[in-house]
Structures are given as C-alpha cells and as structure tokens.
Amino acid sequence: MPLARSLSVTSLSGLEEWDEEFELEDAVLFEIAWEVANKVGGIYTVIQTKARLTAEEWGENYFLVGPYVESNVRTQVELIEPTNPVLKRTIDKMNSSGCKVYFGRWLIEGSPYVVLIDVGFTAWSLDRWKSELWDLGAIGVPWFDREANDAVLFGFLTAWLLGEFAAQSEEPPHIVAHFHEWLAGLGLVLCRKRQLPVATIFTTHATLLGRYLCAGSVDFYNNLSKIYHRYCLERAAAHCAHVFTTVSQITAIEAEHLLKRKPDIVTPNGLNVKKFSAMHEFQNLHAQSKSRIQEFVRGHFYGHLDFNLDKCLFLFIAGRYEFSNKGADIFLEALARLNYLLRCKKWNFRSCFVLLAGQPQDTAHTVKERFGKKLYESLLVGQLPDVAKMLDKEDFTIMKRAIFATQRQSQPPICTHNMLDDSSDPILNSVRRIGLFNSSADRVKIIFHPEFLSSTSPLLPMDYEEFVRGCHLGVFPSYYEPWGYTPAECTVMGIPSISTNLSGFGCFMEEHIADPSAYGIYILDRRYKGVDESCNQLTSFLFQFCKQSRRQRIIQRNRTERLSDLLDWRYLGRYYIAARHMALAKAFPDTFIYEPHEPSSATGFRYPRPASVPPSPSLSRHSSPHHSEAEEDEDERYDEDLEAEKDRVNIRQPYTATKNKTSANLEATCPIHNQSPNRGPCVLAFSHEFLLLHRENIPP
C-alpha cells in the first residue's frame, strides 16, 4: 500500500502563517546532541551544516549542548567565557556543585556557541541517577552498557543545565530545547517530569528497532538485553516531547508503528551548498579528482594494467559497515551481473595502453631524455630526424627489462590492506562468491579500501569530498536509510547517484522531481519488489549508465548539480523553524498561538522534465531509465545555459534567515509549498572496467 500523507509532513501549506507579533528576542534555543563537536555519525553532519542558518536566526540566543571530549575540543572548539550573563551564572553554579561544564565557540561555519559537559567527571552520580530513572519510568539500564550509561549521565546533566538556566533567569524565560536521538532523549523526559518552562522537540534520525530489525543475520533475541532499555528511552522521549519530528516520510511511518507516535512534522536534512564563481567549475574539479584516482589505480594494478583508464567509469558506495542495511549485498550481486552483460556485449573499446609506475616510470624518463637529446642534435644540423635511428638496441633492451619488471603472475589484489580474519568479512566473502577477482577477462574490477579516506593517507591521499568528485556514479541501494547524506552529497557536487524508495533522500527527490533519472537521480524500488527483481533493476541502471557517451554524462552532471538548491539548508531549514514555532505555541500558549489545519493542496513544486534532449529518451520513467545506444550526435543542439535558465523559473529563491522575521514573511518566502514530503564504508566502483570498495569502520 502507498505511504499515507500526514499533516505537516513536509506540507508547509499545513502550517499557518504566524502572527506578525511573534518575536524571538525573549526566547533561547538549546540544541542538544551527543554529536555536538563529537563526530560519530550522520547527526554530526546535520548539526554542523545547519548551525550557520540557525545562528543567523537566533543570534546570541542559540547554544549547542554536547559532551566534552578533550581530543575533539583541542581541534574544534575555542574555549571562552560565557557571553550570556544568565548562562554564565548557570555554568558557575553547576561547576561549584561538582560538575565540569565548558563554554566556547565551535570552529565551524557560523561559529555557534557550545556548552560541553564532562559526563565522566560526574560518573559518581550514575547509580543514584539510574535508581531515579527506575523510579521515574521503570527503565533499568544494565551496568555493562557503557553507551547507555553515558546517555543517563548526559540526560541528567542537560536537564540540570536547563533547570538551572530557568532558575537563574530574572524573568520567566521562553526556552526551546531540541533533542536529537535517544542518547540525548532522557534530558527531555526529565524536563517534562520536573515541569521546567521548556518547549521540547525530539528528532529521531533512525529508530533503534528499525535499524536492528532491518539488519540481516542479526541475533535479535540474544541481543534484547542490549536493545530494550535503549528503545524505552527513545520511546519515552518521543511521547514526552511537545513536538516530535523525523527526517523523512519513510521514517515517519516507521516511528508511528514502532514508537507509537505519529511525527508532527518531517524535517529533511540539508547541506550548505556553495556555488562556484566560475560556470561549471564542478566539472573541472571532477576531472582533477578523477586523474588522482587514476594514479591510484595505476599503482594498485601494477603489472596488470591491461585496460584503458580513459574508458573506465568509477562507481562507489558509502555508509556504515552494515552489509545488508546499506545495500552492499545487492550492489555486489548486481556488479557480477553487470560484468556478465559487459562481457557478452563485446563492445569495441579502444586498445588498452600500459601506464607505468615506480621503476618503469623512471626508465621511461631515461629513454625520453636520450631520445630528446638525439632529436635536438639532428635539428641543429638542419636535418629531419630518422625515427629508425632515434632508438638504438640499448634503448630497446632497457625498455624490455622495464616491461618484464611490471609483469606479475598473481591476480591483482581486491583489498588494499591485510585484513584480520578476512574469512569472516561479509564483503570479501561476497566477492569470493560472485567470483570477481580482477582477472583480465573481467570488465568490472574491485578495490576494497578498508579505512577512512584522508588527504594525509600515503595510499590514497584524498579527502572524501575530492574522492566523490572524481567518481562518475554513487551507488547507495540501501534497505534501511532514514535519510541518506551520501547521495545528497553526490548531488550538490554534481555526481549522479542511485538511491532507493526506502531511503528518505530517494523518497524526497522522487516527490519533488518530475523525472529523477533525467537529472541523474536513479530511484531503485526495494519496497514493492523482491531482492532478485531489485537486483535486476539495479543491474539495468548500471548497464544503461555505462552505455552513456562522455557528452551525455557531462550533460547529466550539469543537471544533477542544478538540483543542489533543493537540498540547501536555506530551503530545508524552514521545516526546523516550523517545528520550533510549533513547540513554543504548545509550551507557552498564552504567548504564542498555533492552530493547525489540513493542507488544502499537495501538488507542490516539482522540477519539470529537462528542456533539452536528456541523456535518456523522454519516455523514461522514474525507475527505468533507458539511455540511447547510438553514438553521440555531434550536430545535436544543446545549450546548457539556456536549459538552466528555463528550469530556473521552477526553482524558488532560497530563504534567508533574519532574526525576528515574522512568520507571514517566512511563509511568503517558503520555497516548498504544498509538499508532503545519515559516512562509514565506502565502495568505489569503476565500470566499464572497474569497481573500488572503501569502508570506514572495520568490524571487531
């Protein structure tokens, strides 16, 4: 059955215009998350990228609250004295009562204020607070769950912070506290239990049960002792919050069934989209990064470089090392089928050339210098050079030795590292099963890079952003993906991607774009199709993408990058603004008024089909792109600037946050009307010729 549309779920017509007297000067916003200045997962990216827009809206009254981690503070936070007198009195009182609370600026865009709490310093209170939690809600936290113990400490300390801030305020304050995920949720429950004057918002970025149940080969029943108390904390926070939000429509349905509360509003995740001053600069960045990846491939396939790198397409997958949840299983199977199709078609590729690395490269330079010297001497005497005499027997001997030195009898490696207990690694086991061992006959080749991408790495010295820019296609066939930052990052960098209708990003883009595939957003059906059907569809996507000409790929990248405005926080931040207004109205009804009503329409704004001839025929559907098999028509008329100008009329200007802006004006500038609407393992895949795998977290 299709997903039901709920009130205010990315339907901004369901949010009325706020009264012009709505002011924020006497309101203070605390945004609380375990990943404030503490990179653990995708929530870090949400908070980091959204901070600038929120700081513009709230000014000096915006504070982020997170844990104090000394290694992170040294490089990310500038510790200063609190600028807000009420907050200074609050921190001083807590520090004098046996806490360690720090204040500073987070060194990111917007430079927001941060309050960092040292949970380890108050660990002596853990047993007392766990006992209080049991008396409060019959939630018992086992001693061996360190993460849950940290959540208890963090929850009680954040509630203490908010309560002390309210007590130190001279006038009754209007406090908004936004809690992210279950690790911070206990603080929200305590605020409601203690009846603090705080408007609370709880955002779940992925439900605990949803993540566990969707993971394949998980011993669920024997892990209930590790899951149940966490689930209780998450559910309690969802039910106690004035406003409950999720990051996508698919997660809203999940939360309604598993947490037993329907979200009040969906708050899609955005990014800070930076436009380049030069037109199509992202195309030049793609070429530069691609050449660096090619250099890495030359070294990895040293001795087996029997293919043309200029004929290779680079594909990759990224996400946590959750083999089934992130779709690595179906991706590898689809690659085996793609390899079969490419071998059967027997396309007429140009001959592969040999690119040398290491010692052979030095030999090439030596021969080149000797050749250049003879050529120079011939030109000095006024004679055309005799090519047959330019290279003597010694030169040929040196070159033959270099060629023999590059030959290797073993197959090219799959993994770039020596893996501990590689027989239990699911990716390597899947590669063994499908038989893709980088043989010369394979048209799809695999490289598995099991560590974080970093510009300081001696093996592949590239940051993640540079790496993504150098690829041709991101493949994210996730089975469980509440939002999906990886395809969103591809989009803003002009790289096409494959997502699914079980991911928040895929559902969001499918609803807002008339023909996603024409814009390089391929939506794989994993909701209504079986595994084999989905795998065949993914294989079709990959095969059709491989058949595109270079010119078609350039056109498609232009279109993909044009969608970046849709993912800008300047647009999507409007949903968070609406959630905060809703919470204030519920917590302080005497001051703020909120009267929800059903949306009158759900047509929304949608990107139209591109104005020019797309890289796929105009009859292509969302889930079945069919690309032209004909050779590129050099006479085909295409004006990218003209097409962009035609499409631009369908893209509203981004909302610019200004403090104390009235809700009526906010609604007038809202970019998305009448609409319903998280980095770890990374698989780099190259096809026509290759696939490269990278993962960030190696399982213990």
Side-chain angles (χ1 to χ4, degrees), residues 310-478:
D310 288 336
K311 288 288 186 177
C312 293
L313 295 182
F314 302 140
L315 308 130
F316 77 101
I317 186 172
R320 281 191 195 87
Y321 197 77
E322 297 176 4
F323 185 65
S324 298
N325 277 355
K326 298 302 180 182
D329 52 351
I330 191 175
F331 182 33
L332 290 170
E333 179 61 34
L335 288 169
R337 301 181 186 187
L338 174 65
N339 185 57
Y340 174 79
L341 291 175
L342 293 176
R343 293 177 62 177
C344 288
K345 289 294 181 180
K346 297 181 180 179
W347 290 356
N348 184 24
F349 285 102
R350 295 193 299 268
S351 299
C352 297
F353 59 88
V354 177
L355 298 173
L356 306 176
Q359 179 185 352
Q361 187 175 22
D362 298 334
T363 302
H365 285 302
T366 301
V367 174
K368 181 181 70 174
E369 291 176 0
R370 297 178 61 172
F371 183 90
K373 183 178 180 181
K374 294 177 182 179
L375 176 62
Y376 176 66
E377 291 174 350
S378 176
L379 294 176
L380 281 179
V381 299
Q383 296 179 358
L384 291 175
D386 185 351
V387 179
K389 297 180 181 179
M390 288 292 101
L391 297 176
D392 53 27
K393 290 184 179 180
E394 183 180 357
D395 294 326
F396 281 104
T397 300
I398 293 174
M399 289 189 291
K400 286 180 181 179
R401 290 176 61 183
I403 292 173
F404 292 151
T406 65
Q407 304 306 307
R408 292 193 296 183
Q409 299 301 318
S410 60
Q411 293 278 25
I414 298 293
C415 188
T416 59
H417 293 64
N418 293 325
M419 299 282 288
L420 294 175
D421 194 18
D422 68 350
S423 61
S424 63
D425 185 87
I427 284 182
L428 294 180
N429 282 337
S430 183
V431 170
R432 296 184 185 104
R433 179 183 59 80
I434 62 180
L436 282 179
F437 299 122
N438 295 342
S439 68
S440 58
D442 288 329
R443 305 300 290 274
V444 174
K445 301 184 187 292
I446 300 176
I447 302 176
F448 184 20
H449 188 323
E451 70 172 356
F452 283 97
L453 288 169
S454 172
S455 59
T456 60
S457 170
L459 187 62
L460 181 57
M462 298 182 72
D463 288 329
Y464 180 79
E465 180 178 328
E466 296 176 294
F467 171 80
V468 172
R469 287 192 184 279
C471 296
H472 294 92
L473 179 70
V475 185
F476 314 104
S478 303

Side-chain angles (χ1 to χ4, degrees), residues 4-17 262-264 582 594-603 667 673-676:
R5 187 185 304 276
S6 58
L7 174 62
S8 298
V9 176
T10 64
S11 296
L12 287 186
S13 58
L15 303 177
E16 80 290 346
E17 295 184 357
K262 187 176 183 179
D264 300 288
M582 189 186 303
Y594 174 72
E595 296 178 358
H597 57 81
E598 291 289 341
S600 58
S601 172
T603 55
E667 189 69 24
H673 283 288
N674 307 324
Q675 281 293 337
S676 290

Side-chain angles (χ1 to χ4, degrees), residues 327-338 341 433-434 475 477 498 500 524-527 529-543:
D329 52 351
I330 191 175
F331 182 33
L332 290 170
E333 179 61 34
L335 288 169
R337 301 181 186 187
L338 174 65
L341 291 175
R433 179 183 59 80
I434 62 180
V475 185
I498 296 177
T500 75
L524 182 67
D525 187 359
R526 295 206 65 182
R527 179 175 171 83
K529 290 186 177 181
V531 175
D532 189 62
E533 286 183 285
S534 297
C535 188
N536 284 334
Q537 187 184 28
L538 178 57
T539 304
S540 175
F541 286 172
L542 297 175
F543 185 60

Side-chain angles (χ1 to χ4, degrees), residues 233-247:
L233 291 173
E234 180 182 45
R235 181 170 173 174
H239 282 269
C240 289
H242 289 101
V243 173
F244 175 46
T245 81
T246 58
V247 297

Side-chain angles (χ1 to χ4, degrees), residues 206-224 227-228 231 234 253-255 257-260 322 324-326 329 479-482 502 526:
T207 68
L208 285 165
L209 284 183
R211 188 179 296 281
Y212 277 103
L213 292 174
C214 288
S217 303
V218 172
D219 190 359
F220 178 73
Y221 290 101
N222 289 323
N223 283 281
L224 283 175
I227 300 171
Y228 183 69
Y231 164 74
E234 180 182 45
I253 301 300
E254 176 187 335
H257 288 83
L258 298 182
L259 298 180
K260 300 302 181 182
E322 297 176 4
S324 298
N325 277 355
K326 298 302 180 182
D329 52 351
Y479 184 74
Y480 185 79
E481 192 70 78
L502 288 179
R526 295 206 65 182

